[in-house]
Amino acid sequence: MSTTSLPSSARAAELRTALLAAGFTADGLLDLLGAPAYAALARSETVPALRATRAAGDAPLASLVRLFLLQQPVAYAHAAAALPVETALADGWLRREGDEVRATVDVRPYGGPDGEDWFIASDLGCAVGGAGGIGSREEAVVLGVGGASTTLAGITVRTPVGSALDLGTGSGIQALHAGRHATRVTATDVNPRALEFTRLTLALSGAPEAELLTGSLFEPVGDATFDLIVSNPPFVISPGARLTYRDGGMGGDDLCRTLVQQAGAHLRPGGFAQFLGNWQHVEGEDWRDRLRSWVPRGCDAWIVQRDVQDVTQYAELWLRDGGDHRTDPAEYVQRYEDWLDEFEARKTKSVGFGWITLRRSDADEPSIVVEEWPHPVEQPLGETVLAHFARQDYLRDHDDAALLEAYFALAADVVQEQVGAPGAEDPEHVVLRQHRGMRRATEVDTVGAGFAGVCDGSLSAGRILDAIAQLVQEDPVVLRDRTPEAIRLLVEQGFLEPAADPAP
C-alpha cells in the first residue's frame, strides 16, 4: 500500500458507467460472491471472495472484483472487457505491469439508503478498519467504510437542509449521504489525501461536488454556521498521534470534548450536530457529569454510551488496529506500556464509546440526556433522533398539570410482556418493550401498565388515572400527584406519544 498520487476524477463518470454496466454494485457483489463470502469481504477477509471469483472465470464482474477489492492483477484483455482500460490507466486508476494491470486504489460498491449505487474510494487494503487491523504503518492512510462510518450515517437526521458540514471526512461517506438532502455540503480533513479520496468517492457515485477544505476541527470554516454537522473524528485515546485516521493528537478525550464544545457556535438555530466519540471514565468522577460538561450553551443534547472497555481491552484493540501485534515483540510490549502509562497518568480506568447529538434550541433550560444503552437497536435511527428531541420540547412545555390534561397514545411498536409463575393470579413483572428504533424495555407497575394499555388518544391522562384509581381503590388525588413522573419517563423514552385532543 502506498500513499502516492491519486487518480484524476475528471473522467470518473465514464468509469462509473462501465462499473454499473458490469454489475459492480452491492447487489451484484452479493449475487456473485454469495452471502458468506460477501460478509467476509466486509471483515477484510478476501480468501472466500477470491475462491468465488474463480468459479466466475474472466467475466467482467469477476475481473473488477479481483482488481478493486482483492488487489489481484488482471490480464489487460480481461480488464479491457470490463472498463475503458486506457482511460483508467491514463487517469491513474490502474497501473500496467507487462500484460497485466493492477488497481491503484480500492473502489468498493456501497448501496445508498434509497437504492443508490455508490462507490467508496480508499487506500488499497484499507476498505475496513477496526478490530481486524488494517496492518498499515503509514500515517496518512485513508480508510474506507467501516462499522463506525455506517453507524454515524444511520443515526444522522435526514431532513432537507441548506448546508451540511462533514468534519474529518476521510473517504467521504458522510458527505455522500449529506448530498442527498443538503443544498450545500462542505467537507474538511486535516489530511489533504482524504479530501482527494472524497472527491473520487463523490465523482464515482454521481453525487454533487462538495466544498473541500483542509484543516483541523472548525478552523477551515471560520465563523460559518450550518444546519447539520456530522463527524466521525479520530477519537481514539492514545499516547501520541501516530496514525492520522484514528489519533486526534490531543491528550485523553480532549479532541472529542473540543469538537463538541465548539460545535454550538457553528450551528444555526434548530440545527443538529452528530458525532461518534470516545471518552474517559476517570477515577472518582461520574462519566455522565463529564459529558454533560461538554455540552455548549444553547444546545440540547442526547448522549448514548454504547460500549465500555477497560484500559487493557482498549489498548489491545487499537494496537491490533495499527498492526502493532505483527511487529517485534519487544516493540509491541513497549507500545502497550506506553498506552497503560498514559491511562495511569490520567487516572483513566475505562473508556466509553457512543453517540453525541446536539441540537441548537437556545432554550432557557436545555434538555441534556446522558444514558447507557448497550443493547441492540434498529438502524437507521435518524427519525428516532428527531422524535427524541420533539418529545423533549413537548415535556419542556408541559408541567405536571398540563400533562394530566393531555392526551396520549401507545406507540405502535410497543408490546406488553408479563412475567410470573405459571398459574399465578398476578404477574411478578410487567414490561413494556419496543420493537423498533432504540428497542427499549421498561418495567412498569400495575398502574403504569393499565395506564399505557388504555392510552389510545380518546381520554386525557387525568381521566384515565381517575378511572384506574376507582378500580384499585386508591385516592385519585394521590394517584394524580405521584403519576406525572412516570408519564414523563414513558413519553421521554418513546413508549407514549402525545396525541391531539379529540374533536368535541
Side-chain angles (χ1 to χ4, degrees):
M1 172 189 350
S2 172
T3 52
T4 55
S5 60
L6 295 179
S8 166
S9 61
R11 292 183 284 185
E14 185 178 347
L15 183 59
R16 169 179 171 80
T17 298
L19 297 178
L20 294 177
F24 191 63
T25 64
D27 289 341
L29 286 187
L30 183 59
D31 290 341
L32 174 70
L33 304 180
Y38 186 83
L41 195 61
R43 302 191 298 270
S44 288
E45 294 290 348
T46 59
V47 173
L50 185 58
R51 289 170 62 90
T53 62
R54 289 183 193 139
D58 299 317
L61 178 55
S63 295
L64 292 174
V65 171
R66 293 191 195 102
L67 271 175
F68 290 115
L69 303 185
L70 306 182
Q71 301 167 45
Q72 299 293 311
V74 169
Y76 178 96
H78 297 152
L83 72 168
V85 69
E86 286 301 322
T87 297
L89 286 166
D91 288 356
W93 297 93
L94 304 176
R95 71 175 186 272
R96 189 158 186 172
E97 298 179 349
D99 293 332
E100 296 179 326
V101 295
R102 283 184 178 271
T104 61
V105 293
D106 186 294
V107 175
R108 191 152 303 229
Y110 178 80
D114 290 329
E116 300 94 341
D117 289 316
W118 289 340
F119 299 97
I120 310 300
S122 64
D123 273 309
L124 288 172
C126 298
V128 181
I134 64 166
S136 171
R137 312 296 293 173
E138 299 192 40
E139 295 182 4
V141 72
V142 177
L143 300 189
V145 180
S149 301
T150 55
T151 293
L152 179 58
I155 67 171
T156 301
V157 171
R158 297 297 177 192
T159 53
V161 294
S163 61
L165 170 65
D166 176 12
L167 192 153
T169 186
S171 58
I173 177 62
Q174 308 306 329
L176 185 57
H177 277 277
R180 296 176 61 249
H181 62 103
T183 303
R184 178 173 58 87
V185 176
T186 300
T188 69
D189 206 288
V190 71
N191 181 4
R193 185 176 179 82
L195 297 176
E196 290 307 307
F197 269 116
T198 294
R199 190 189 310 277
L200 297 179
T201 289
L202 296 177
L204 270 182
S205 299
E209 294 183 358
E211 179 185 29
L212 305 177
L213 303 175
T214 305
S216 178
L217 294 172
F218 290 99
E219 180 271 331
V221 300
D223 296 329
T225 57
F226 301 87
D227 301 300
L228 174 67
I229 300 171
V230 292
S231 182
N232 177 18
F235 52 66
V236 176
I237 300 172
S238 60
R242 187 163 58 96
L243 298 175
T244 303
Y245 73 85
R246 72 168 198 194
D247 302 322
M250 296 186 182
D253 52 17
D254 283 354
L255 182 135
C256 286
R257 174 184 57 78
T258 303
L259 177 61
V260 172
Q261 289 180 336
Q262 292 182 358
H266 294 276
L267 277 179
R268 292 175 180 169
F272 284 88
Q274 299 186 263
F275 316 112
L276 301 186
N278 277 180
W279 41 80
Q280 299 169 124
H281 286 220
V282 178
E283 184 178 342
E285 179 180 315
D286 188 323
W287 67 271
R288 294 174 179 82
D289 292 339
R290 181 183 191 84
L291 292 178
R292 287 189 186 97
S293 72
W294 293 4
V295 178
R297 184 183 301 274
C299 288
D300 297 329
W302 185 21
I303 303 173
V304 182
Q305 179 168 278
R306 297 286 290 154
D307 191 20
V308 181
Q309 291 184 320
D310 68 49
V311 293
T312 60
Q313 292 174 309
Y314 189 81
E316 290 161 14
L317 169 68
W318 294 108
L319 286 168
R320 288 196 303 273
D321 172 84
D324 294 291
H325 59 310
R326 302 188 184 98
T327 63
D328 177 75
E331 183 180 348
Y332 175 80
V333 169
Q334 184 56 57
R335 289 197 186 279
Y336 202 148
E337 291 274 12
D338 291 344
W339 283 71
L340 296 185
D341 287 345
E342 175 81 4
F343 288 130
E344 184 176 344
R346 295 181 176 277
K347 298 183 179 180
T348 301
K349 57 184 180 180
S350 56
V351 178
F353 168 83
W355 318 324
I356 299 174
T357 298
L358 307 177
R359 184 190 58 166
R360 174 81 181 273
S361 67
D362 295 317
D364 293 334
E365 298 182 9
S367 164
I368 301 177
V369 176
V370 184
E371 61 175 322
E372 186 168 18
W373 189 253
H375 310 293
V377 299
E378 184 186 53
Q379 287 274 34
L381 283 169
E383 291 294 330
T384 300
V385 172
L386 268 179
H388 167 89
F389 286 96
R391 292 193 298 268
Q392 296 303 316
D393 287 342
Y394 179 88
L395 292 173
R396 187 160 43 205
D397 294 340
H398 288 71
D399 60 16
D400 288 356
L403 279 184
L404 292 175
E405 294 298 319
Y407 295 76
F408 300 97
L410 191 67
D413 65 321
V414 175
V415 297
Q416 179 176 299
E417 299 175 359
Q418 297 186 169
V419 181
E425 183 175 347
D426 296 313
E428 296 176 13
H429 305 283
V430 179
V431 175
L432 300 180
R433 187 179 302 277
Q434 301 169 348
H435 283 284
R436 306 293 300 274
M438 292 295 286
R439 293 180 174 172
R440 297 185 186 276
T442 187
E443 187 172 344
V444 293
D445 59 15
T446 302
V447 171
F451 181 85
V454 174
C455 281
D456 61 2
S458 63
L459 294 174
S460 69
R463 290 186 61 187
I464 293 174
L465 289 177
D466 291 344
I468 291 175
Q470 187 173 1
L471 287 173
V472 299
Q473 297 182 337
E474 185 172 341
D475 186 336
V477 175
V478 173
L479 191 59
R480 278 174 171 256
D481 285 344
R482 69 178 176 86
T483 304
E485 182 178 353
I487 296 175
R488 285 186 181 278
L489 180 63
L490 292 175
V491 172
E492 179 179 301
Q493 295 189 345
F495 291 96
L496 294 179
E497 299 175 343
D501 293 358

